[in-house]
Amino acid sequence: MKEYLLENGLLPGVICKYGPNRKVTFNKAEMEKIAFDEEQGHLSNLFKGRLFRLHVGRWIEECIVKDVATHPVDQELMFVRFERHIPGKMTVVPIPVSISGLWGCPGYRKGGQVEIGLPTVKCEVVGDHIPPPFVVDVSNLHLENPFGKITLRQLQPLLPNDGTVRFAREYSLDEEVVTCYDPKVLGETPLPHDWQDPNFIHRGGRYHLTYTGFWPKQTTRA
């Protein structure tokens, strides 16, 4: 059934949590325009960091994207799982992070590398609205030893004043969100020998690409 829906331009999904599971379908092309907002880019961080209002029959479901199944190579969605957001109940949402003021950043102008250490920040939301992406001003970020940094503590003023949103409790306020460093001074740390690329891991095992002739053949191994 899933393959039939995909072949006919429909994207299967399910809405769960705080109520009965509802199986739904979407226009696949329209949903992919939202999910992949950059040409040749990966799945947008904002896709999981926003509130969707889904019209299902006579119902309007307010949801966030909890899980997405995508093609390992192409910009193609295969399945989307939504979770309901109920005001007064806590929902953990990964809010995207972007930067502004790069051209005026003192560390960058001195040859430093400005890097986003946390592309998304998990937030616990209990209010009606999901907060917008965090836009971090780096115009006062300096090149320090070993590196300059902006932490979650400095992002606290970006949270709503009504207390309906806070950073996830797994973080400390000293978490580094944006850093500025000299790549010639800061050495590289090799990856552990047992490191595995998370982009090739899925519930059934791992994706492996083996080349036969001109085209890669995708296989799955547990």
Side-chain angles (χ1 to χ4, degrees), residues 103-137:
W103 295 114
C105 173
Y108 180 77
R109 295 177 68 86
K110 291 181 180 179
Q113 176 75 33
V114 177
E115 189 170 289
I116 298 178
L118 286 178
T120 61
V121 176
K122 293 181 182 179
C123 292
E124 298 174 355
V125 182
V126 296
D128 295 330
H129 305 289
I130 304 297
F134 295 116
V135 181
V136 183
D137 183 9

PDB file of all heavy atoms in Angstrom, residues 103-137:
ATOM      1  N   TRP A 103      29.549  39.505   8.714  1.00  0.00           N
ATOM      2  CA  TRP A 103      30.528  40.422   8.120  1.00  0.00           C
ATOM      3  C   TRP A 103      31.081  41.406   9.142  1.00  0.00           C
ATOM      4  O   TRP A 103      32.165  41.962   8.949  1.00  0.00           O
ATOM      5  CB  TRP A 103      29.914  41.172   6.938  1.00  0.00           C
ATOM      6  CG  TRP A 103      29.546  40.267   5.803  1.00  0.00           C
ATOM      7  CD1 TRP A 103      28.299  39.994   5.352  1.00  0.00           C
ATOM      8  CD2 TRP A 103      30.434  39.509   4.984  1.00  0.00           C
ATOM      9  NE1 TRP A 103      28.332  39.105   4.308  1.00  0.00           N
ATOM     10  CE2 TRP A 103      29.643  38.799   4.061  1.00  0.00           C
ATOM     11  CE3 TRP A 103      31.824  39.356   4.945  1.00  0.00           C
ATOM     12  CZ2 TRP A 103      30.187  37.956   3.101  1.00  0.00           C
ATOM     13  CZ3 TRP A 103      32.361  38.519   3.989  1.00  0.00           C
ATOM     14  CH2 TRP A 103      31.553  37.833   3.081  1.00  0.00           C
ATOM     15  N   GLY A 104      30.368  41.627  10.213  1.00  0.00           N
ATOM     16  CA  GLY A 104      30.854  42.515  11.260  1.00  0.00           C
ATOM     17  C   GLY A 104      31.480  41.788  12.433  1.00  0.00           C
ATOM     18  O   GLY A 104      31.840  42.416  13.434  1.00  0.00           O
ATOM     19  N   CYS A 105      31.621  40.467  12.329  1.00  0.00           N
ATOM     20  CA  CYS A 105      32.185  39.663  13.425  1.00  0.00           C
ATOM     21  C   CYS A 105      33.692  39.923  13.518  1.00  0.00           C
ATOM     22  O   CYS A 105      34.432  39.662  12.558  1.00  0.00           O
ATOM     23  CB  CYS A 105      31.912  38.179  13.173  1.00  0.00           C
ATOM     24  SG  CYS A 105      32.709  37.074  14.343  1.00  0.00           S
ATOM     25  N   PRO A 106      34.194  40.415  14.669  1.00  0.00           N
ATOM     26  CA  PRO A 106      35.636  40.697  14.798  1.00  0.00           C
ATOM     27  C   PRO A 106      36.502  39.459  14.590  1.00  0.00           C
ATOM     28  O   PRO A 106      37.559  39.523  13.961  1.00  0.00           O
ATOM     29  CB  PRO A 106      35.761  41.232  16.230  1.00  0.00           C
ATOM     30  CG  PRO A 106      34.393  41.695  16.592  1.00  0.00           C
ATOM     31  CD  PRO A 106      33.454  40.803  15.866  1.00  0.00           C
ATOM     32  N   GLY A 107      36.058  38.313  15.116  1.00  0.00           N
ATOM     33  CA  GLY A 107      36.835  37.091  14.948  1.00  0.00           C
ATOM     34  C   GLY A 107      36.906  36.643  13.507  1.00  0.00           C
ATOM     35  O   GLY A 107      37.954  36.195  13.021  1.00  0.00           O
ATOM     36  N   TYR A 108      35.811  36.773  12.789  1.00  0.00           N
ATOM     37  CA  TYR A 108      35.787  36.392  11.372  1.00  0.00           C
ATOM     38  C   TYR A 108      36.684  37.296  10.545  1.00  0.00           C
ATOM     39  O   TYR A 108      37.396  36.841   9.643  1.00  0.00           O
ATOM     40  CB  TYR A 108      34.344  36.437  10.862  1.00  0.00           C
ATOM     41  CG  TYR A 108      34.174  36.056   9.420  1.00  0.00           C
ATOM     42  CD1 TYR A 108      34.210  34.724   9.024  1.00  0.00           C
ATOM     43  CD2 TYR A 108      33.980  37.036   8.449  1.00  0.00           C
ATOM     44  CE1 TYR A 108      34.053  34.373   7.693  1.00  0.00           C
ATOM     45  CE2 TYR A 108      33.816  36.686   7.116  1.00  0.00           C
ATOM     46  CZ  TYR A 108      33.854  35.364   6.741  1.00  0.00           C
ATOM     47  OH  TYR A 108      33.698  35.022   5.420  1.00  0.00           O
ATOM     48  N   ARG A 109      36.690  38.594  10.855  1.00  0.00           N
ATOM     49  CA  ARG A 109      37.506  39.552  10.102  1.00  0.00           C
ATOM     50  C   ARG A 109      39.003  39.351  10.364  1.00  0.00           C
ATOM     51  O   ARG A 109      39.832  39.787   9.563  1.00  0.00           O
ATOM     52  CB  ARG A 109      37.082  40.977  10.461  1.00  0.00           C
ATOM     53  CG  ARG A 109      35.652  41.310  10.038  1.00  0.00           C
ATOM     54  CD  ARG A 109      35.248  42.703  10.472  1.00  0.00           C
ATOM     55  NE  ARG A 109      35.987  43.713   9.751  1.00  0.00           N
ATOM     56  CZ  ARG A 109      35.639  44.211   8.568  1.00  0.00           C
ATOM     57  NH1 ARG A 109      34.537  43.752   7.963  1.00  0.00           N
ATOM     58  NH2 ARG A 109      36.344  45.138   7.979  1.00  0.00           N
ATOM     59  N   LYS A 110      39.330  38.686  11.465  1.00  0.00           N
ATOM     60  CA  LYS A 110      40.729  38.380  11.757  1.00  0.00           C
ATOM     61  C   LYS A 110      41.159  37.027  11.188  1.00  0.00           C
ATOM     62  O   LYS A 110      42.265  36.560  11.469  1.00  0.00           O
ATOM     63  CB  LYS A 110      40.964  38.410  13.264  1.00  0.00           C
ATOM     64  CG  LYS A 110      40.879  39.799  13.882  1.00  0.00           C
ATOM     65  CD  LYS A 110      41.147  39.749  15.374  1.00  0.00           C
ATOM     66  CE  LYS A 110      41.068  41.127  16.000  1.00  0.00           C
ATOM     67  NZ  LYS A 110      41.303  41.090  17.476  1.00  0.00           N
ATOM     68  N   GLY A 111      40.293  36.389  10.434  1.00  0.00           N
ATOM     69  CA  GLY A 111      40.638  35.110   9.824  1.00  0.00           C
ATOM     70  C   GLY A 111      40.097  33.904  10.552  1.00  0.00           C
ATOM     71  O   GLY A 111      40.438  32.767  10.201  1.00  0.00           O
ATOM     72  N   GLY A 112      39.268  34.115  11.557  1.00  0.00           N
ATOM     73  CA  GLY A 112      38.703  32.998  12.308  1.00  0.00           C
ATOM     74  C   GLY A 112      37.580  32.301  11.553  1.00  0.00           C
ATOM     75  O   GLY A 112      36.958  32.870  10.653  1.00  0.00           O
ATOM     76  N   GLN A 113      37.336  31.063  11.942  1.00  0.00           N
ATOM     77  CA  GLN A 113      36.256  30.259  11.371  1.00  0.00           C
ATOM     78  C   GLN A 113      35.075  30.306  12.334  1.00  0.00           C
ATOM     79  O   GLN A 113      35.204  29.913  13.491  1.00  0.00           O
ATOM     80  CB  GLN A 113      36.716  28.820  11.160  1.00  0.00           C
ATOM     81  CG  GLN A 113      35.647  27.877  10.654  1.00  0.00           C
ATOM     82  CD  GLN A 113      35.348  28.091   9.180  1.00  0.00           C
ATOM     83  OE1 GLN A 113      36.224  28.448   8.403  1.00  0.00           O
ATOM     84  NE2 GLN A 113      34.105  27.869   8.798  1.00  0.00           N
ATOM     85  N   VAL A 114      33.932  30.793  11.862  1.00  0.00           N
ATOM     86  CA  VAL A 114      32.715  30.840  12.679  1.00  0.00           C
ATOM     87  C   VAL A 114      31.878  29.614  12.357  1.00  0.00           C
ATOM     88  O   VAL A 114      31.557  29.360  11.186  1.00  0.00           O
ATOM     89  CB  VAL A 114      31.919  32.133  12.425  1.00  0.00           C
ATOM     90  CG1 VAL A 114      30.626  32.126  13.234  1.00  0.00           C
ATOM     91  CG2 VAL A 114      32.759  33.357  12.782  1.00  0.00           C
ATOM     92  N   GLU A 115      31.533  28.860  13.379  1.00  0.00           N
ATOM     93  CA  GLU A 115      30.846  27.577  13.171  1.00  0.00           C
ATOM     94  C   GLU A 115      29.686  27.439  14.153  1.00  0.00           C
ATOM     95  O   GLU A 115      29.800  27.796  15.327  1.00  0.00           O
ATOM     96  CB  GLU A 115      31.841  26.444  13.374  1.00  0.00           C
ATOM     97  CG  GLU A 115      31.327  25.068  12.992  1.00  0.00           C
ATOM     98  CD  GLU A 115      32.438  24.039  12.998  1.00  0.00           C
ATOM     99  OE1 GLU A 115      33.305  24.082  12.102  1.00  0.00           O
ATOM    100  OE2 GLU A 115      32.447  23.208  13.907  1.00  0.00           O
ATOM    101  N   ILE A 116      28.577  26.914  13.648  1.00  0.00           N
ATOM    102  CA  ILE A 116      27.419  26.637  14.504  1.00  0.00           C
ATOM    103  C   ILE A 116      27.612  25.269  15.138  1.00  0.00           C
ATOM    104  O   ILE A 116      27.624  24.252  14.444  1.00  0.00           O
ATOM    105  CB  ILE A 116      26.109  26.694  13.707  1.00  0.00           C
ATOM    106  CG1 ILE A 116      25.900  28.092  13.126  1.00  0.00           C
ATOM    107  CG2 ILE A 116      24.928  26.317  14.592  1.00  0.00           C
ATOM    108  CD1 ILE A 116      24.649  28.219  12.274  1.00  0.00           C
ATOM    109  N   GLY A 117      27.767  25.240  16.447  1.00  0.00           N
ATOM    110  CA  GLY A 117      27.976  23.985  17.151  1.00  0.00           C
ATOM    111  C   GLY A 117      26.685  23.220  17.394  1.00  0.00           C
ATOM    112  O   GLY A 117      26.683  21.986  17.445  1.00  0.00           O
ATOM    113  N   LEU A 118      25.576  23.929  17.545  1.00  0.00           N
ATOM    114  CA  LEU A 118      24.262  23.306  17.732  1.00  0.00           C
ATOM    115  C   LEU A 118      23.340  23.794  16.617  1.00  0.00           C
ATOM    116  O   LEU A 118      22.734  24.853  16.733  1.00  0.00           O
ATOM    117  CB  LEU A 118      23.679  23.681  19.102  1.00  0.00           C
ATOM    118  CG  LEU A 118      24.282  23.028  20.345  1.00  0.00           C
ATOM    119  CD1 LEU A 118      23.603  23.555  21.607  1.00  0.00           C
ATOM    120  CD2 LEU A 118      24.149  21.511  20.293  1.00  0.00           C
ATOM    121  N   PRO A 119      23.220  23.045  15.525  1.00  0.00           N
ATOM    122  CA  PRO A 119      22.316  23.470  14.446  1.00  0.00           C
ATOM    123  C   PRO A 119      20.863  23.583  14.901  1.00  0.00           C
ATOM    124  O   PRO A 119      20.096  24.366  14.343  1.00  0.00           O
ATOM    125  CB  PRO A 119      22.482  22.371  13.396  1.00  0.00           C
ATOM    126  CG  PRO A 119      23.790  21.710  13.721  1.00  0.00           C
ATOM    127  CD  PRO A 119      23.931  21.803  15.201  1.00  0.00           C
ATOM    128  N   THR A 120      20.488  22.791  15.896  1.00  0.00           N
ATOM    129  CA  THR A 120      19.165  22.885  16.512  1.00  0.00           C
ATOM    130  C   THR A 120      19.325  22.831  18.021  1.00  0.00           C
ATOM    131  O   THR A 120      20.236  22.181  18.536  1.00  0.00           O
ATOM    132  CB  THR A 120      18.223  21.752  16.057  1.00  0.00           C
ATOM    133  OG1 THR A 120      18.779  20.481  16.437  1.00  0.00           O
ATOM    134  CG2 THR A 120      18.014  21.778  14.546  1.00  0.00           C
ATOM    135  N   VAL A 121      18.435  23.512  18.714  1.00  0.00           N
ATOM    136  CA  VAL A 121      18.418  23.501  20.174  1.00  0.00           C
ATOM    137  C   VAL A 121      17.080  22.920  20.624  1.00  0.00           C
ATOM    138  O   VAL A 121      16.013  23.461  20.286  1.00  0.00           O
ATOM    139  CB  VAL A 121      18.598  24.916  20.756  1.00  0.00           C
ATOM    140  CG1 VAL A 121      18.471  24.891  22.275  1.00  0.00           C
ATOM    141  CG2 VAL A 121      19.950  25.497  20.354  1.00  0.00           C
ATOM    142  N   LYS A 122      17.115  21.819  21.358  1.00  0.00           N
ATOM    143  CA  LYS A 122      15.880  21.206  21.840  1.00  0.00           C
ATOM    144  C   LYS A 122      15.258  22.097  22.911  1.00  0.00           C
ATOM    145  O   LYS A 122      15.936  22.499  23.860  1.00  0.00           O
ATOM    146  CB  LYS A 122      16.153  19.821  22.405  1.00  0.00           C
ATOM    147  CG  LYS A 122      16.587  18.801  21.374  1.00  0.00           C
ATOM    148  CD  LYS A 122      16.825  17.443  22.022  1.00  0.00           C
ATOM    149  CE  LYS A 122      17.307  16.421  21.004  1.00  0.00           C
ATOM    150  NZ  LYS A 122      17.568  15.100  21.625  1.00  0.00           N
ATOM    151  N   CYS A 123      13.976  22.390  22.735  1.00  0.00           N
ATOM    152  CA  CYS A 123      13.248  23.231  23.681  1.00  0.00           C
ATOM    153  C   CYS A 123      12.008  22.499  24.166  1.00  0.00           C
ATOM    154  O   CYS A 123      11.364  21.771  23.402  1.00  0.00           O
ATOM    155  CB  CYS A 123      12.850  24.561  23.038  1.00  0.00           C
ATOM    156  SG  CYS A 123      14.225  25.650  22.667  1.00  0.00           S
ATOM    157  N   GLU A 124      11.679  22.704  25.426  1.00  0.00           N
ATOM    158  CA  GLU A 124      10.462  22.155  26.016  1.00  0.00           C
ATOM    159  C   GLU A 124       9.382  23.230  25.946  1.00  0.00           C
ATOM    160  O   GLU A 124       9.508  24.290  26.552  1.00  0.00           O
ATOM    161  CB  GLU A 124      10.726  21.726  27.457  1.00  0.00           C
ATOM    162  CG  GLU A 124      11.775  20.624  27.564  1.00  0.00           C
ATOM    163  CD  GLU A 124      12.144  20.293  28.995  1.00  0.00           C
ATOM    164  OE1 GLU A 124      11.652  20.985  29.911  1.00  0.00           O
ATOM    165  OE2 GLU A 124      12.925  19.341  29.200  1.00  0.00           O
ATOM    166  N   VAL A 125       8.327  22.943  25.183  1.00  0.00           N
ATOM    167  CA  VAL A 125       7.280  23.923  24.898  1.00  0.00           C
ATOM    168  C   VAL A 125       5.976  23.470  25.548  1.00  0.00           C
ATOM    169  O   VAL A 125       5.547  22.334  25.350  1.00  0.00           O
ATOM    170  CB  VAL A 125       7.086  24.095  23.374  1.00  0.00           C
ATOM    171  CG1 VAL A 125       6.037  25.155  23.085  1.00  0.00           C
ATOM    172  CG2 VAL A 125       8.408  24.436  22.699  1.00  0.00           C
ATOM    173  N   VAL A 126       5.347  24.372  26.305  1.00  0.00           N
ATOM    174  CA  VAL A 126       4.043  24.067  26.911  1.00  0.00           C
ATOM    175  C   VAL A 126       2.979  25.077  26.490  1.00  0.00           C
ATOM    176  O   VAL A 126       1.816  24.932  26.856  1.00  0.00           O
ATOM    177  CB  VAL A 126       4.140  24.029  28.453  1.00  0.00           C
ATOM    178  CG1 VAL A 126       5.047  22.912  28.921  1.00  0.00           C
ATOM    179  CG2 VAL A 126       4.613  25.371  29.004  1.00  0.00           C
ATOM    180  N   GLY A 127       3.356  26.090  25.730  1.00  0.00           N
ATOM    181  CA  GLY A 127       2.408  27.126  25.320  1.00  0.00           C
ATOM    182  C   GLY A 127       1.709  26.814  24.018  1.00  0.00           C
ATOM    183  O   GLY A 127       1.819  25.723  23.450  1.00  0.00           O
ATOM    184  N   ASP A 128       0.985  27.815  23.517  1.00  0.00           N
ATOM    185  CA  ASP A 128       0.219  27.649  22.288  1.00  0.00           C
ATOM    186  C   ASP A 128       1.093  27.645  21.049  1.00  0.00           C
ATOM    187  O   ASP A 128       0.708  27.079  20.022  1.00  0.00           O
ATOM    188  CB  ASP A 128      -0.809  28.780  22.155  1.00  0.00           C
ATOM    189  CG  ASP A 128      -1.859  28.732  23.256  1.00  0.00           C
ATOM    190  OD1 ASP A 128      -2.164  27.629  23.733  1.00  0.00           O
ATOM    191  OD2 ASP A 128      -2.370  29.806  23.634  1.00  0.00           O
ATOM    192  N   HIS A 129       2.251  28.310  21.123  1.00  0.00           N
ATOM    193  CA  HIS A 129       3.039  28.546  19.924  1.00  0.00           C
ATOM    194  C   HIS A 129       4.429  27.923  20.049  1.00  0.00           C
ATOM    195  O   HIS A 129       5.011  27.863  21.129  1.00  0.00           O
ATOM    196  CB  HIS A 129       3.171  30.046  19.659  1.00  0.00           C
ATOM    197  CG  HIS A 129       1.858  30.770  19.581  1.00  0.00           C
ATOM    198  ND1 HIS A 129       0.987  30.617  18.523  1.00  0.00           N
ATOM    199  CD2 HIS A 129       1.266  31.637  20.446  1.00  0.00           C
ATOM    200  CE1 HIS A 129      -0.086  31.362  18.721  1.00  0.00           C
ATOM    201  NE2 HIS A 129       0.063  31.993  19.884  1.00  0.00           N
ATOM    202  N   ILE A 130       4.941  27.485  18.911  1.00  0.00           N
ATOM    203  CA  ILE A 130       6.330  27.031  18.807  1.00  0.00           C
ATOM    204  C   ILE A 130       7.194  28.258  18.520  1.00  0.00           C
ATOM    205  O   ILE A 130       6.862  29.047  17.627  1.00  0.00           O
ATOM    206  CB  ILE A 130       6.497  25.990  17.688  1.00  0.00           C
ATOM    207  CG1 ILE A 130       5.536  24.810  17.903  1.00  0.00           C
ATOM    208  CG2 ILE A 130       7.947  25.507  17.615  1.00  0.00           C
ATOM    209  CD1 ILE A 130       5.773  24.021  19.159  1.00  0.00           C
ATOM    210  N   PRO A 131       8.280  28.473  19.245  1.00  0.00           N
ATOM    211  CA  PRO A 131       9.088  29.666  19.002  1.00  0.00           C
ATOM    212  C   PRO A 131       9.748  29.632  17.630  1.00  0.00           C
ATOM    213  O   PRO A 131      10.000  28.556  17.073  1.00  0.00           O
ATOM    214  CB  PRO A 131      10.133  29.626  20.130  1.00  0.00           C
ATOM    215  CG  PRO A 131      10.212  28.183  20.518  1.00  0.00           C
ATOM    216  CD  PRO A 131       8.826  27.633  20.334  1.00  0.00           C
ATOM    217  N   PRO A 132      10.040  30.809  17.054  1.00  0.00           N
ATOM    218  CA  PRO A 132      10.726  30.862  15.756  1.00  0.00           C
ATOM    219  C   PRO A 132      12.183  30.450  15.913  1.00  0.00           C
ATOM    220  O   PRO A 132      12.692  30.313  17.035  1.00  0.00           O
ATOM    221  CB  PRO A 132      10.598  32.337  15.353  1.00  0.00           C
ATOM    222  CG  PRO A 132      10.506  33.070  16.661  1.00  0.00           C
ATOM    223  CD  PRO A 132       9.748  32.156  17.584  1.00  0.00           C
ATOM    224  N   PRO A 133      12.888  30.245  14.797  1.00  0.00           N
ATOM    225  CA  PRO A 133      14.309  29.894  14.874  1.00  0.00           C
ATOM    226  C   PRO A 133      15.115  30.940  15.650  1.00  0.00           C
ATOM    227  O   PRO A 133      14.801  32.136  15.627  1.00  0.00           O
ATOM    228  CB  PRO A 133      14.742  29.843  13.407  1.00  0.00           C
ATOM    229  CG  PRO A 133      13.487  29.532  12.661  1.00  0.00           C
ATOM    230  CD  PRO A 133      12.393  30.219  13.408  1.00  0.00           C
ATOM    231  N   PHE A 134      16.159  30.474  16.329  1.00  0.00           N
ATOM    232  CA  PHE A 134      17.050  31.374  17.050  1.00  0.00           C
ATOM    233  C   PHE A 134      18.018  32.014  16.050  1.00  0.00           C
ATOM    234  O   PHE A 134      18.755  31.308  15.360  1.00  0.00           O
ATOM    235  CB  PHE A 134      17.844  30.619  18.117  1.00  0.00           C
ATOM    236  CG  PHE A 134      16.998  30.059  19.222  1.00  0.00           C
ATOM    237  CD1 PHE A 134      16.909  28.686  19.419  1.00  0.00           C
ATOM    238  CD2 PHE A 134      16.289  30.893  20.070  1.00  0.00           C
ATOM    239  CE1 PHE A 134      16.139  28.161  20.439  1.00  0.00           C
ATOM    240  CE2 PHE A 134      15.511  30.380  21.093  1.00  0.00           C
ATOM    241  CZ  PHE A 134      15.429  29.013  21.280  1.00  0.00           C
ATOM    242  N   VAL A 135      18.022  33.326  15.985  1.00  0.00           N
ATOM    243  CA  VAL A 135      18.963  34.064  15.137  1.00  0.00           C
ATOM    244  C   VAL A 135      20.016  34.658  16.069  1.00  0.00           C
ATOM    245  O   VAL A 135      19.736  35.573  16.843  1.00  0.00           O
ATOM    246  CB  VAL A 135      18.264  35.164  14.328  1.00  0.00           C
ATOM    247  CG1 VAL A 135      19.281  35.895  13.446  1.00  0.00           C
ATOM    248  CG2 VAL A 135      17.150  34.567  13.472  1.00  0.00           C
ATOM    249  N   VAL A 136      21.228  34.123  16.002  1.00  0.00           N
ATOM    250  CA  VAL A 136      22.302  34.501  16.920  1.00  0.00           C
ATOM    251  C   VAL A 136      23.161  35.585  16.279  1.00  0.00           C
ATOM    252  O   VAL A 136      23.709  35.397  15.192  1.00  0.00           O
ATOM    253  CB  VAL A 136      23.168  33.271  17.274  1.00  0.00           C
ATOM    254  CG1 VAL A 136      24.250  33.658  18.285  1.00  0.00           C
ATOM    255  CG2 VAL A 136      22.300  32.144  17.831  1.00  0.00           C
ATOM    256  N   ASP A 137      23.279  36.715  16.965  1.00  0.00           N
ATOM    257  CA  ASP A 137      24.093  37.821  16.485  1.00  0.00           C
ATOM    258  C   ASP A 137      25.555  37.579  16.855  1.00  0.00           C
ATOM    259  O   ASP A 137      25.891  37.465  18.035  1.00  0.00           O
ATOM    260  CB  ASP A 137      23.597  39.125  17.112  1.00  0.00           C
ATOM    261  CG  ASP A 137      24.344  40.355  16.604  1.00  0.00           C
ATOM    262  OD1 ASP A 137      25.129  40.212  15.647  1.00  0.00           O
ATOM    263  OD2 ASP A 137      24.137  41.443  17.175  1.00  0.00           O
TER     264      ASP A 137
END
